[in-house]
Amino acid sequence: VAATGAVAGISAARQERTIGNAIDDTRIKATLDGRMAQDSTKLFLNVSTTVVEGRVLLAGRVSKPETRLDASRIAWSVESVRKVDNDIQVADDLGWLDRPSDLIMRAQLAAVLLADRQVKDVNYTTDVVHGVVYLMGVGQSRAEVDRVVDHAERLNGVKGVENYVVLKNDPIRYGYTAPDPHS
């Protein structure tokens, strides 16, 4: 745990999020992954989790709608989770053969973002699941986020891009949400 906290602290020093947020995110992800593994090995193996500032993204494929709901339930049960985006698909084919190409696409995107001097790459967390690129993080500006999305869309074999990036001045980062227009 101390080593994980040290790595999170060093990483956060370069990021838009605070060291405390990075450590909390590491703890949330470890707890979430552990609870998913306890609940179901299949859930743990087929669902990717990403955490940024208490916002959780679940992505992957499961064979039953109930399993998709279980993943959300487990995510919400973890202390300090502020939001859960469940992008888990229910499908007969769990896509095991996609994993090598997903890893290659993820590495290619990381390299492209690192090389782009107009993108503060350390603020982005990327995942690729079944050919779909998932972006999370804190963008400096709309133009920067658009560049990241464009890079992701240009990857060979990409099936889609899901953008969960918030801008650095977005109130959701501080626990604020827009007022409900219906209330």
Side-chain angles (χ1 to χ4, degrees):
V1 172
T4 301
V7 170
I10 291 166
S11 177
R14 297 181 50 223
Q15 293 181 5
E16 198 62 47
R17 66 183 170 168
T18 66
I19 291 172
N21 282 347
I23 292 170
D24 286 348
D25 291 345
T26 301
R27 182 194 48 77
I28 290 169
K29 180 170 176 41
T31 303
L32 175 57
D33 289 347
R35 288 185 186 172
M36 287 176 59
Q38 283 179 331
D39 189 76
S40 164
T41 303
K42 287 183 180 178
L43 184 61
F44 176 74
L45 293 174
N46 294 315
V47 174
S48 171
T49 61
T50 306
V51 182
V52 176
E53 295 180 331
R55 295 176 290 120
V56 174
L57 172 62
L58 305 171
R61 286 186 190 160
V62 296
S63 58
K64 299 177 185 173
E66 298 82 24
T67 307
R68 183 179 188 276
L69 293 173
D70 287 344
S72 284
R73 178 186 51 78
I74 292 168
W76 279 114
S77 76
V78 177
E79 183 183 349
S80 302
V81 168
R82 295 187 354 213
K83 183 177 187 222
V84 175
D85 289 308
N86 187 335
D87 212 348
I88 299 171
Q89 300 170 7
V90 177
D92 293 330
D93 172 25
L94 297 181
W96 286 89
L97 297 176
D98 293 340
R99 292 194 178 171
S101 60
D102 290 347
L103 289 171
I104 291 168
M105 278 194 279
R106 185 175 179 195
Q108 289 172 336
L109 181 57
V112 168
L113 295 181
L114 181 63
D116 187 337
R117 294 193 180 272
Q118 295 181 43
V119 172
K120 194 170 180 182
D121 67 294
V122 72
N123 285 331
Y124 293 89
T125 302
T126 62
D127 202 358
V128 181
V129 180
H130 308 297
V132 177
V133 177
Y134 293 91
L135 303 172
M136 273 192 90
V138 180
Q140 298 297 300
S141 67
R142 175 59 44 208
E144 182 189 69
V145 175
D146 290 346
R147 284 184 71 82
V148 172
V149 170
D150 185 57
H151 287 312
E153 289 173 339
R154 292 173 185 255
L155 291 172
N156 188 28
V158 72
K159 295 176 183 171
V161 176
E162 296 293 330
N163 180 6
Y164 292 93
V165 176
V166 298
L167 295 178
K168 69 179 183 179
N169 58 356
D170 191 321
I172 197 168
R173 294 187 61 218
Y174 310 103
Y176 303 114
T177 57
D180 184 357
H182 303 292
S183 58

